[in-house]
Amino acid sequence: KNEVEQSPQNLTAQEGEFITINCSYSVGISALHWLQQHPGGGIVSLFMLSSGKKKHGRLIATINIQEKHSSLHITASHPRDSAVYICAVRNTGNQFYFGTGTSLTVIP
Amino acid sequence: GAGVSQSPSNKVTEKGKDVELRCDPISGHTALYWYRQSLGQGLEFLIYFQGNSAPDKSGLPSDRFSAERTGGSVSTLTIQRTQQEDSAVYLCASSLWAGLYEQYFGPGTRLTVT
Protein backbone atom coordinates (compact mmCIF):
# COMPACT_ATOMS: atom_id res chain seq x y z
CA LYS A 1 0.00 0.00 0.00
CA ASN A 2 1.41 3.38 -0.99
CA GLU A 3 1.05 6.15 1.52
CA VAL A 4 1.10 8.67 -1.34
CA GLU A 5 -0.75 8.23 -4.61
CA GLN A 6 -0.31 10.53 -7.60
CA SER A 7 -2.31 10.87 -10.75
CA PRO A 8 -1.92 10.81 -13.61
CA GLN A 9 1.33 8.82 -13.99
CA ASN A 10 1.94 10.33 -17.40
CA LEU A 11 0.59 13.48 -18.95
CA THR A 12 1.07 15.04 -22.37
CA ALA A 13 -0.20 18.54 -23.00
CA GLN A 14 -0.06 21.15 -25.73
CA GLU A 15 1.82 24.33 -24.98
CA GLY A 16 -0.48 26.81 -23.29
CA GLU A 17 -2.77 24.25 -21.68
CA PHE A 18 -3.75 24.32 -18.01
CA ILE A 19 -2.37 21.28 -16.21
CA THR A 20 -3.42 19.63 -12.96
CA ILE A 21 -1.55 16.91 -11.10
CA ASN A 22 -3.20 15.29 -8.12
CA CYS A 23 -1.81 13.80 -4.93
CA SER A 24 -3.67 11.85 -2.25
CA TYR A 25 -2.12 10.59 0.94
CA SER A 26 -3.17 8.34 3.79
CA VAL A 27 -0.89 9.33 6.68
CA GLY A 28 -1.04 12.21 9.09
CA ILE A 29 1.27 14.91 7.87
CA SER A 30 3.00 18.04 9.05
CA ALA A 31 3.73 19.23 5.50
CA LEU A 32 3.40 18.29 1.85
CA HIS A 33 6.07 19.00 -0.75
CA TRP A 34 5.94 19.24 -4.52
CA LEU A 35 9.24 18.48 -6.23
CA GLN A 36 10.36 18.83 -9.83
CA GLN A 37 12.91 16.58 -11.49
CA HIS A 38 14.11 17.29 -15.03
CA PRO A 39 15.45 14.42 -17.16
CA GLY A 40 19.02 13.75 -16.08
CA GLY A 41 18.80 16.66 -13.71
CA GLY A 42 18.55 17.29 -10.07
CA ILE A 43 15.53 17.77 -7.88
CA VAL A 44 14.11 21.16 -7.06
CA SER A 45 11.61 21.83 -4.34
CA LEU A 46 8.69 23.79 -5.78
CA PHE A 47 6.37 24.11 -2.82
CA MET A 48 6.02 23.17 0.80
CA LEU A 49 2.46 23.35 2.10
CA SER A 50 0.79 22.72 5.40
CA SER A 51 -2.50 24.41 4.54
CA GLY A 52 -4.28 26.46 1.90
CA LYS A 53 -2.66 27.54 -1.31
CA LYS A 54 0.66 28.84 -2.61
CA LYS A 55 1.58 30.43 -5.93
CA HIS A 56 4.94 30.89 -7.64
CA GLY A 57 4.68 32.40 -11.09
CA ARG A 58 2.62 30.02 -13.24
CA LEU A 59 2.56 27.30 -10.60
CA ILE A 60 -0.13 26.95 -7.97
CA ALA A 61 -0.31 24.33 -5.22
CA THR A 62 -3.30 23.66 -3.02
CA ILE A 63 -3.90 21.33 -0.14
CA ASN A 64 -7.05 20.12 1.60
CA ILE A 65 -6.01 18.64 4.93
CA GLN A 66 -9.45 17.20 5.72
CA GLU A 67 -9.60 15.35 2.40
CA LYS A 68 -5.87 14.47 2.44
CA HIS A 69 -5.47 15.76 -1.06
CA SER A 70 -3.24 18.23 -2.87
CA SER A 71 -3.11 19.52 -6.41
CA LEU A 72 -0.37 21.14 -8.45
CA HIS A 73 -1.55 23.38 -11.25
CA ILE A 74 0.49 24.81 -14.10
CA THR A 75 -1.07 27.65 -16.03
CA ALA A 76 -0.04 28.48 -19.63
CA SER A 77 2.19 25.41 -19.80
CA HIS A 78 5.47 25.60 -21.69
CA PRO A 79 7.83 22.93 -23.06
CA ARG A 80 10.35 23.83 -20.33
CA ASP A 81 7.79 22.61 -17.79
CA SER A 82 8.41 19.07 -19.09
CA ALA A 83 9.68 17.13 -16.08
CA VAL A 84 8.67 14.62 -13.46
CA TYR A 85 6.63 16.13 -10.66
CA ILE A 86 6.78 14.34 -7.33
CA CYS A 87 4.50 14.70 -4.34
CA ALA A 88 6.03 14.00 -0.94
CA VAL A 89 4.54 14.14 2.53
CA ARG A 90 6.35 14.61 5.80
CA ASN A 91 4.90 13.00 8.89
CA THR A 92 5.21 14.44 12.36
CA GLY A 93 8.35 12.33 12.88
CA ASN A 94 10.06 14.06 9.95
CA GLN A 95 9.92 10.92 7.82
CA PHE A 96 9.04 11.34 4.18
CA TYR A 97 6.80 9.32 1.89
CA PHE A 98 6.93 9.88 -1.86
CA GLY A 99 4.54 9.43 -4.72
CA THR A 100 5.83 7.67 -7.81
CA GLY A 101 5.78 10.89 -9.79
CA THR A 102 3.92 12.32 -12.76
CA SER A 103 5.85 12.55 -15.99
CA LEU A 104 4.76 15.68 -17.85
CA THR A 105 5.55 16.38 -21.49
CA VAL A 106 4.51 19.70 -22.95
CA ILE A 107 4.51 19.75 -26.74
CA PRO A 108 5.20 23.03 -28.58
CA GLY B 1 26.22 30.79 -2.57
CA ALA B 2 27.26 27.15 -2.86
CA GLY B 3 24.52 24.59 -2.96
CA VAL B 4 24.50 21.05 -1.64
CA SER B 5 27.37 19.05 -3.06
CA GLN B 6 27.84 15.31 -3.19
CA SER B 7 30.78 13.14 -4.02
CA PRO B 8 31.56 11.12 -5.93
CA SER B 9 29.10 11.89 -8.70
CA ASN B 10 29.44 8.34 -9.98
CA LYS B 11 30.68 5.22 -8.28
CA VAL B 12 31.05 1.77 -9.75
CA THR B 13 31.91 -0.94 -7.28
CA GLU B 14 32.03 -4.70 -7.16
CA LYS B 15 29.50 -6.66 -5.21
CA GLY B 16 30.68 -7.20 -1.66
CA LYS B 17 32.79 -4.06 -1.42
CA ASP B 18 32.10 -1.19 0.96
CA VAL B 19 31.35 2.31 -0.33
CA GLU B 20 31.21 5.75 1.26
CA LEU B 21 29.11 8.54 -0.15
CA ARG B 22 29.64 12.10 0.98
CA CYS B 23 27.31 15.06 1.30
CA ASP B 24 28.26 18.67 1.98
CA PRO B 25 25.16 20.63 2.96
CA ILE B 26 24.59 24.34 2.50
CA SER B 27 26.50 26.26 5.12
CA GLY B 28 24.32 26.99 8.13
CA HIS B 29 21.78 24.28 7.38
CA THR B 30 21.28 22.17 10.46
CA ALA B 31 19.11 19.46 8.90
CA LEU B 32 20.41 16.94 6.39
CA TYR B 33 18.50 14.21 4.59
CA TRP B 34 19.48 11.12 2.60
CA TYR B 35 17.25 9.62 -0.07
CA ARG B 36 17.58 6.85 -2.63
CA GLN B 37 16.11 6.70 -6.12
CA SER B 38 16.33 3.31 -7.76
CA LEU B 39 15.99 2.94 -11.52
CA GLY B 40 12.34 3.04 -12.50
CA GLN B 41 11.24 3.54 -8.93
CA GLY B 42 10.34 6.51 -6.84
CA LEU B 43 12.25 8.30 -4.16
CA GLU B 44 12.81 6.54 -0.87
CA PHE B 45 13.59 8.30 2.38
CA LEU B 46 16.56 6.83 4.21
CA ILE B 47 17.51 8.98 7.19
CA TYR B 48 17.72 12.54 8.39
CA PHE B 49 19.96 14.41 10.79
CA GLN B 50 19.17 17.36 12.96
CA GLY B 51 22.62 18.57 13.90
CA ASN B 52 24.72 15.50 14.48
CA SER B 53 21.95 13.25 15.68
CA ALA B 54 19.69 11.00 13.65
CA PRO B 55 16.43 10.63 15.56
CA ASP B 56 15.13 7.77 13.45
CA LYS B 57 17.17 5.23 11.53
CA SER B 58 14.27 2.98 10.60
CA GLY B 59 14.30 4.13 6.96
CA LEU B 60 17.70 2.56 6.31
CA PRO B 61 17.07 -0.51 4.11
CA SER B 62 19.29 -2.91 6.06
CA ASP B 63 21.98 -3.02 8.72
CA ARG B 64 24.54 -2.78 5.92
CA PHE B 65 23.62 0.89 5.67
CA SER B 66 24.87 3.45 8.14
CA ALA B 67 25.19 7.20 8.17
CA GLU B 68 26.97 9.70 10.32
CA ARG B 69 27.36 13.40 10.53
CA THR B 70 30.09 15.12 12.42
CA GLY B 71 30.49 18.76 13.31
CA GLY B 72 26.95 19.44 12.18
CA SER B 73 28.12 19.65 8.60
CA VAL B 74 29.40 16.90 6.29
CA SER B 75 27.61 13.57 6.27
CA THR B 76 28.71 10.20 4.99
CA LEU B 77 26.46 7.34 4.00
CA THR B 78 28.26 4.01 4.16
CA ILE B 79 27.07 0.84 2.51
CA GLN B 80 28.88 -2.31 3.58
CA ARG B 81 29.08 -5.48 1.52
CA THR B 82 27.27 -3.87 -1.40
CA GLN B 83 24.66 -5.85 -3.30
CA GLN B 84 23.34 -5.30 -6.81
CA GLU B 85 20.02 -4.08 -5.43
CA ASP B 86 21.91 -1.19 -3.83
CA SER B 87 22.44 0.29 -7.30
CA ALA B 88 20.61 3.62 -7.32
CA VAL B 89 21.08 7.35 -7.21
CA TYR B 90 21.68 8.49 -3.64
CA LEU B 91 20.46 12.02 -3.02
CA CYS B 92 21.24 14.33 -0.18
CA ALA B 93 19.27 17.43 0.79
CA SER B 94 19.64 20.05 3.48
CA SER B 95 17.40 22.61 5.10
CA LEU B 96 17.77 25.34 7.67
CA TRP B 97 16.10 23.17 10.28
CA ALA B 98 14.20 19.88 10.27
CA GLY B 99 10.56 20.78 10.05
CA LEU B 100 8.72 23.27 7.96
CA TYR B 101 11.64 24.53 5.90
CA GLU B 102 12.43 24.09 2.21
CA GLN B 103 14.89 21.39 1.28
CA TYR B 104 17.68 21.94 -1.19
CA PHE B 105 18.84 18.87 -3.06
CA GLY B 106 22.30 17.87 -4.17
CA PRO B 107 23.01 16.41 -7.62
CA GLY B 108 23.20 12.88 -6.30
CA THR B 109 25.70 10.03 -6.44
CA ARG B 110 24.97 7.33 -8.99
CA LEU B 111 26.04 4.01 -7.49
CA THR B 112 26.40 0.97 -9.69
CA VAL B 113 27.17 -2.38 -8.10
CA THR B 114 28.48 -4.94 -10.59
Side-chain angles (χ1 to χ4, degrees), chain B residues 30-45:
Chain B
T30 64
L32 186 148
Y33 305 80
W34 283 101
Y35 303 98
R36 178 169 73 172
Q37 189 171 36
S38 303
L39 185 64
Q41 297 188 27
L43 281 160
E44 178 185 4
F45 169 72

Side-chain angles (χ1 to χ4, degrees), chain A residues 30-31 33 35 37 43-48 50 86 90 93-96 98-100, chain B residues 33 35 37 42-45 48 56 58-59 91 98-103 105-107:
Chain A
S30 60
H33 298 249
L35 310 173
Q37 186 172 31
I43 294 176
V44 174
S45 177
L46 297 175
F47 293 103
M48 181 179 61
S50 54
I86 302 166
R90 178 204 300 258
N94 281 325
Q95 292 176 316
F96 281 81
F98 294 89
T100 53
Chain B
Y33 305 80
Y35 303 98
Q37 189 171 36
L43 281 160
E44 178 185 4
F45 169 72
Y48 87 97
D56 186 349
S58 63
L91 291 153
L100 300 182
Y101 289 93
E102 293 284 352
Q103 291 188 27
F105 285 79

Side-chain angles (χ1 to χ4, degrees), chain B residues 4-88:
Chain B
V4 177
S5 61
Q6 292 185 244
S7 60
S9 55
N10 281 284
K11 176 73 177 178
V12 180
T13 191
E14 290 181 356
K15 178 181 170 181
K17 295 282 178 71
D18 298 352
V19 294
E20 271 193 3
L21 312 180
R22 176 186 167 110
C23 173
D24 279 273
I26 292 173
S27 177
H29 280 193
T30 64
L32 186 148
Y33 305 80
W34 283 101
Y35 303 98
R36 178 169 73 172
Q37 189 171 36
S38 303
L39 185 64
Q41 297 188 27
L43 281 160
E44 178 185 4
F45 169 72
L46 299 179
I47 192 170
Y48 87 97
F49 291 87
Q50 177 58 54
N52 290 338
S53 65
D56 186 349
K57 300 180 180 179
S58 63
L60 295 174
S62 77
D63 58 9
R64 296 185 295 104
F65 286 71
S66 63
E68 65 175 17
R69 188 180 187 198
T70 55
S73 183
V74 171
S75 176
T76 55
L77 178 69
T78 301
I79 309 172
Q80 296 179 308
R81 305 181 302 282
T82 52
Q83 303 293 313
Q84 287 187 330
E85 60 263 27
D86 300 334
S87 296

Side-chain angles (χ1 to χ4, degrees), chain A residues 13-80:
Chain A
Q14 289 291 135
E15 182 174 356
E17 284 185 4
F18 180 83
I19 289 162
T20 296
I21 300 170
N22 294 299
C23 175
S24 297
Y25 54 92
S26 58
V27 296
I29 70 168
S30 60
L32 181 144
H33 298 249
W34 281 102
L35 310 173
Q36 180 192 56
Q37 186 172 31
H38 282 281
I43 294 176
V44 174
S45 177
L46 297 175
F47 293 103
M48 181 179 61
L49 293 164
S50 54
S51 65
K53 176 179 173 178
K54 286 190 175 180
K55 183 176 188 291
H56 289 157
R58 295 180 295 106
L59 273 59
I60 303 165
T62 63
I63 188 168
N64 184 317
I65 297 295
Q66 287 73 30
E67 294 185 3
K68 296 190 173 181
H69 181 269
S70 175
S71 293
L72 175 68
H73 304 287
I74 305 175
T75 61
S77 58
H78 190 275
R80 64 175 174 266

